[in-house]
């Protein structure tokens, strides 16, 4: 009951959206399923990538290098699997690539106090350079990442096939949203993480090692970017090209802001973006409107602009995000 | 003799060229309250920060319960039974009281934070020490006095043998201060040792057993509290006689410089904090606004300074100049100086140099710039003069404001605002956190500004400050004036009752 009162608005919105979608499903099961399916497909990498930003900023480190982290991971995953013929090797390589990139950001900004924006830009440039330079045509994956049917849950109409009949990274994205939400707000790690991102001096005087905690959080969050990248090349597309992530890392930052740095709201925001773009495509398929495909592809970015201009001033980022912590400066 | 709980032996600490502590030695016995006194920048905070492991000494030893291994960091200090309440609040504004208190020492049930247990614990210690707080309130919604209580509870929540309090009373009302002093006495009676930093000599005499006086980073003296008095302490601190009373002549009152009519202003929670306020200030007089903090004083001053929108009513300068809706820049240009209550937030830019901070609202005036290009020579000259005149203790005028001690930051703000020779000076808590010598100096400067023809609106939580400085006193309660009187007829008891809402 206390839970309900504290989250009343969110729960009511969730209930209304669910009812709405099932009503739609009742009228047109095929269309509803396909639209929800393309919304979530669009959202999966964004959810994972936006959570990299959430954990980073909640700990006080702005990460604009998510794009580069994802790109490197997509590359490592694809070629890891293509060269060894093992999907497992590829998946692990992708996640490790993300963690390595996370560690780069962590050490440059937290340990050596390089400007966080500059470090993020460096990450993106290095990632674009390295992945283009070593890119070779003519490789293929042994197979796409296999799908798992989650028992029972995948039998639920509508949401079953969309959410619970997926590859590992997509399932991980779904589970991790709730796990990280819980960790941030109900565990010791979460309380401390929020403290070092809001007011690191207070954490320091409470006996928390701010530097160490930021290093660990930013590094491990890189693993989520790794999953997002590997998802794109190994689970969704099955290919890799130059500039493969196409700005999704930046879109994720917009979604992080739209989701006000809460994992569950981030998921809702990502689904909303996905749904908007699915609606536009659907309208075109149905010949309701006739807009060139390029404009449809532009939609998420236009929405980003709108969302950010509306959200600006309404949501409040963690206060210390962007500033390095210097011990004894209190 | 028993072994001292804390022994500091020959500790030295330098920040660049500034030698903040020089070969300091002190000790604290179990159950003893020791006060640290000293001018702003004498090195008090530096010393206790080393005891708490926030910074590490260059030289010397800190021995806790006979153990001389260096104190690495705060968590090390905490595990050895040391707790500290900091001069600058160390609370996370967006978290609740309970969350702040358990931070770093969290009760858990399995993997989950035990927030219910935390609430219980907060209630229990809050009852035990008679420090009332709501465990579920968010810090940023609380008045500073309550935040201070949370700080103290946080330190007490981890069983401490040594409690360090760095200027805990600077932001407390007199009643809250008395409550805190009682808590300190009962803690000491139960065996806790306390190191207490304050600038208020009355408090030192009320609770301390022994007093160490620091001057320029060195130990200048040690006395037993029962063998000294206020004048004696002040002499030890400053090295000269300090006049604790303000000497001022009769005011030469002229025309009205500020008129506030039926002012209504909202606070941050959108409630009417100022509700029908009427005040008038004339040139050459000091009007003191007395009141318990949180009765709209802050919002009132901010509205005049242009920092807070006015809901209704009028603010007029020099009878003709309507500044009700003016922006801070225009208010300043119209001749209003403002010493804000929160110097960290509204008075200084921490990362800027002292020289820049001293011209913060005037850098674009002809004196300091020509055709959009700043005149750095003039800025530096200005800084040299003010640092000298206001005795701002700093390594150089190029040092950042952040490197200054608390009281010296205050002096920077006061120096800047007075040097602009305002015709109206808004002074909110102008001597908060300032040592007795500097209080005397700032008071004299305010009186000098008055005698030069400025009108002064003085808001202070210190009734003593109001009584000694003001020519006319208005008492503010619940957002408006409840009484007004000439200072010479003022009666302490009566004002105290009026402040509390009685009559
Ligand atoms: N982090 C720092 N960097 C440079 N200088 C510093 C730093 N911290 C303190 N100082 C300098 O060391 C000296 C002692 O400062 P400290 O804060 O200990 O004074 P204090 O006695 O606590 O004064 P106050 O009563 O004003 O709080 C001051 O001159 C101050 O400018
Ligand atoms: Mg101090």
């Amino acid at each position: 009951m206390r839970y309900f009162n504290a989250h009343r608005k969110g729960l009511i919105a969730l209930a209304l959206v669910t009812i709405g979608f099932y009503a739609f499903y009742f009228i047109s099961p095929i269309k509803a399923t396909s639209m929800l399916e393309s919304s979530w497909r669009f959202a999966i990498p964004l959810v994972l990538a936006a959570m990299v930003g959430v954990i980073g900023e909640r700990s006080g480190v702005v990460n604009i290098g998510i794009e580069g982290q994802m790109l490197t991971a997509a590359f490592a995953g694809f070629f890891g699997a293509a060269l060894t013929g093992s999907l497992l090797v590829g998946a692990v390589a992708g996640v490790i690539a993300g963690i390595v990139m996370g560690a780069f950001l962590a050490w440059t900004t937290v340990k050596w106090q390089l400007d966080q924006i500059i470090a993020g830009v460096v990450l993106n440039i290095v990632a674009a350079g390295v992945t283009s330079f070593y890119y070779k045509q003519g490789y293929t994956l042994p197979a796409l990442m296999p799908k798992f049917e989650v028992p029972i849950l995948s039998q639920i109409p509508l949401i079953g096939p969309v959410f619970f009949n997926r590859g590992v990274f997509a399932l991980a994205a779904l589970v991790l949203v709730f796990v990280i939400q819980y960790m941030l707000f109900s565990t010791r790690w979460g309380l401390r993480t929020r403290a070092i991102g809001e007011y690191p001096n207070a954490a320091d005087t409470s006996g928390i090692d701010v530097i160490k905690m930021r290093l660990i959080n930013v590094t491990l969050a890189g693993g989520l970017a790794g999953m997002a990248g590997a998802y794109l090349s190994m689970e969704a597309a099955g290919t890799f090209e130059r500039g493969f992530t196409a700005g999704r890392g930046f879109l994720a930052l917009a979604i992080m802001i739209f989701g006000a740095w809460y994992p569950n709201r981030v998921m809702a925001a990502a689904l909303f973006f996905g749904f908007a773009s699915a609606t536009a495509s659907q309208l075109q398929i149905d010949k309701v409107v006739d807009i060139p495909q390029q404009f449809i592809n532009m939609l998420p970015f236009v929405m980003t602009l709108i969302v950010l201009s509306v959200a600006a001033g309404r949501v409040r980022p963690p206060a210390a995000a962007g500033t390095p912590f210097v011990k004894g400066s209190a | 003799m028993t072994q001292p709980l804390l022994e500091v032996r020959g500790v030295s600490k330098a920040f660049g060229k500034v030698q903040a502590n020089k070969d300091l030695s002190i000790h604290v016995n179990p159950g003893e309250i020791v006060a640290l006194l000293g001018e702003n920048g004498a090195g008090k905070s530096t010393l206790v920060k080393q005891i708490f492991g926030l910074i590490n000494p260059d030289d010397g030893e800190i021995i806790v319960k006979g153990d001389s291994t260096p104190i690495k960091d705060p968590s090390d200090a905490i595990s050895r039974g040391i707790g500290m309440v900091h001069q600058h609040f160390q609370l996370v504004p967006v978290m609740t009281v309970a969350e702040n208190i358990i931070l770093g020492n969290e009760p858990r049930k399995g993997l989950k934070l035990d927030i219910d247990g935390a609430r219980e614990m907060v209630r229990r210690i809050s009852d035990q020490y008679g420090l009332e707080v709501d465990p579920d309130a968010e810090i940023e919604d609380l008045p500073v006095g309550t935040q201070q209580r949370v700080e103290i509870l946080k330190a007490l929540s981890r069983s401490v043998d040594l409690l360090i309090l760095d200027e805990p009373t600077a932001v407390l009302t007199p009643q809250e201060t008395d409550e805190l002093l009682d808590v300190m006495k009962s803690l000491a009676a139960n065996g806790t040792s306390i190191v207490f930093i304050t600038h208020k000599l009355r408090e030192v005499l009320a609770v301390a057993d022994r007093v160490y006086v620091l001057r320029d980073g060195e130990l200048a003296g040690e006395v037993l509290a029962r063998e000294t008095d206020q004048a004696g302490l002040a002499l030890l601190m400053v090295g000269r006689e300090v006049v604790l009373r303000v000497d001022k002549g009769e005011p030469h009152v002229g025309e009205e410089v500020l008129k506030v009519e039926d002012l209504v202003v909202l606070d941050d929670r959108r409630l009417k904090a100022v509700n029908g306020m009427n005040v008038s200030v004339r040139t050459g007089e000091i009007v003191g606004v007395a009141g318990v903090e949180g009765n709209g004083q802050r919002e009132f001053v901010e509205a005049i300074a242009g920092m807070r929108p006015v809901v209704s009513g009028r603010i007029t300068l020099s009878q003709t100049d309507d500044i009700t809706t003016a922006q801070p820049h225009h208010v300043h240009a119209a001749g209003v100086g403002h010493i804000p209550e929160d110097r960290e937030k509204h008075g200084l830019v921490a990362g800027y140099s002292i020289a820049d901070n001293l011209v913060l609202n005037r850098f674009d005036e002809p004196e300091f710039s020509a055709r959009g290009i700043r005149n750095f020579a003039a800025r530096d000259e200005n800084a040299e003069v003010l640092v000298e005149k206001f005795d701002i203790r700093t390594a150089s005028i190029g040092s950042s404001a952040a490197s200054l001690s608390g009281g010296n930051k205050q002096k920077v703000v006061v120096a800047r605002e007075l040097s602009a020779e305002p015709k109206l000076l808004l002074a909110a808590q102008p001597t908060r956190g300032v040592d007795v010598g500097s209080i005397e100096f700032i008071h004299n400067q305010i009186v000098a500004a008055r005698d030069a023809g400025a009108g002064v609106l003085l808001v202070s939580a210190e009734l003593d400050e109001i009584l000694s400085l003001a020519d006319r006193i208005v008492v503010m309660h619940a957002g408006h004036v409840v009484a007004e009187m000439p200072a010479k007829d003022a009666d302490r008891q009566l004002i105290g009752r009026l402040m509390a809402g009685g009559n």
Side-chain angles (χ1 to χ4, degrees), chain A residues 65-86:
Chain A
I66 299 174
E67 176 78 7
Q69 299 182 323
M70 280 167 73
L71 187 59
T72 316
F75 174 89
F78 181 81
F79 285 100
L83 291 173
T84 61
S86 155

Side-chain angles (χ1 to χ4, degrees), chain B residues 45 87 166-167:
Chain B
S45 295
Q87 186 169 6
D166 192 353
E167 290 191 42

Side-chain angles (χ1 to χ4, degrees), chain B residues 23-81:
Chain B
D23 194 21
L24 276 179
S25 300
I26 67 166
H27 70 271
V28 183
N29 294 321
E32 189 181 32
I33 302 183
V34 166
L36 284 184
L37 267 180
E39 293 178 87
N40 296 127
K44 305 177 298 290
S45 295
T46 304
L47 175 61
V48 292
K49 279 183 191 169
Q50 294 173 94
I51 299 172
F52 195 60
L54 276 165
I55 49 181
N56 305 114
D58 297 338
D59 209 357
E61 273 186 317
I62 295 172
I63 305 159
V64 183
K65 299 176 211 161
D67 177 1
S68 66
T69 29
I71 300 170
K72 280 202 310 286
D73 51 28
S75 81
D76 196 5
I78 291 164
S79 67
R80 293 203 217 169

Side-chain angles (χ1 to χ4, degrees), chain A residues 71 75 126-136 240-243:
Chain A
L71 187 59
F75 174 89
V126 167
V130 168
T131 56
S132 317
F133 186 78
Y134 290 105
Y135 172 70
K136 292 225 167 44
F240 182 85
E241 284 148 41
R242 293 194 168 95

Side-chain angles (χ1 to χ4, degrees), chain B residues 263-302:
Chain B
L263 192 70
V264 177
V265 185
L266 303 182
D267 64 14
D268 293 336
R269 285 168 299 170
R270 315 207 57 77
L271 304 173
K272 282 186 189 171
V274 178
N275 200 355
M277 182 85 181
N278 288 288
V279 167
S280 147
V281 179
R282 290 163 298 168
T283 60
E285 73 168 342
I286 300 176
V287 175
V289 178
V292 176
E293 255 191 303
N295 274 281
Q297 296 97 320
R298 189 172 87 204
E299 290 77 8
F300 171 57
V301 173
E302 287 182 358

Side-chain angles (χ1 to χ4, degrees), chain B residues 380-417:
Chain B
D380 291 346
E381 154 106 55
N382 173 71
E384 297 289 359
V385 171
L386 292 178
V387 162
E388 174 75 35
K389 179 173 173 197
F390 284 81
D391 189 22
I392 297 167
R393 306 276 167 95
T394 172
S396 88
I397 58 166
S399 310
S400 72
S403 73
L404 290 176
S405 77
N408 280 298
K409 287 181 186 165
Q410 182 72 15
K411 289 196 238 169
V412 169
V413 178
V414 172
R416 178 184 66 223
E417 297 303 321

Side-chain angles (χ1 to χ4, degrees), chain B residues 421-485:
Chain B
E421 295 175 1
K423 60 181 179 192
L424 174 68
L425 177 68
L426 306 172
Q429 325 288 357
T431 56
R432 176 169 282 176
V434 175
D435 66 56
V436 280
S438 307
I439 289 177
E440 178 193 23
F441 177 77
I442 290 175
H443 282 175
N444 288 337
Q445 291 298 315
I446 291 178
V447 172
R450 175 199 79 162
D451 291 342
V456 179
L457 188 73
L458 169 75
V459 177
S460 177
E462 302 280 329
L463 192 46
D464 287 327
E465 181 159 55
I466 302 261
L467 287 171
S468 62
L469 216 47
D471 301 310
R472 197 149 55 80
I473 296 175
V474 299
V475 183
M476 194 168 171
H477 178 76
H480 61 273
V481 174
V482 291
E484 187 174 337
M485 66 205 77

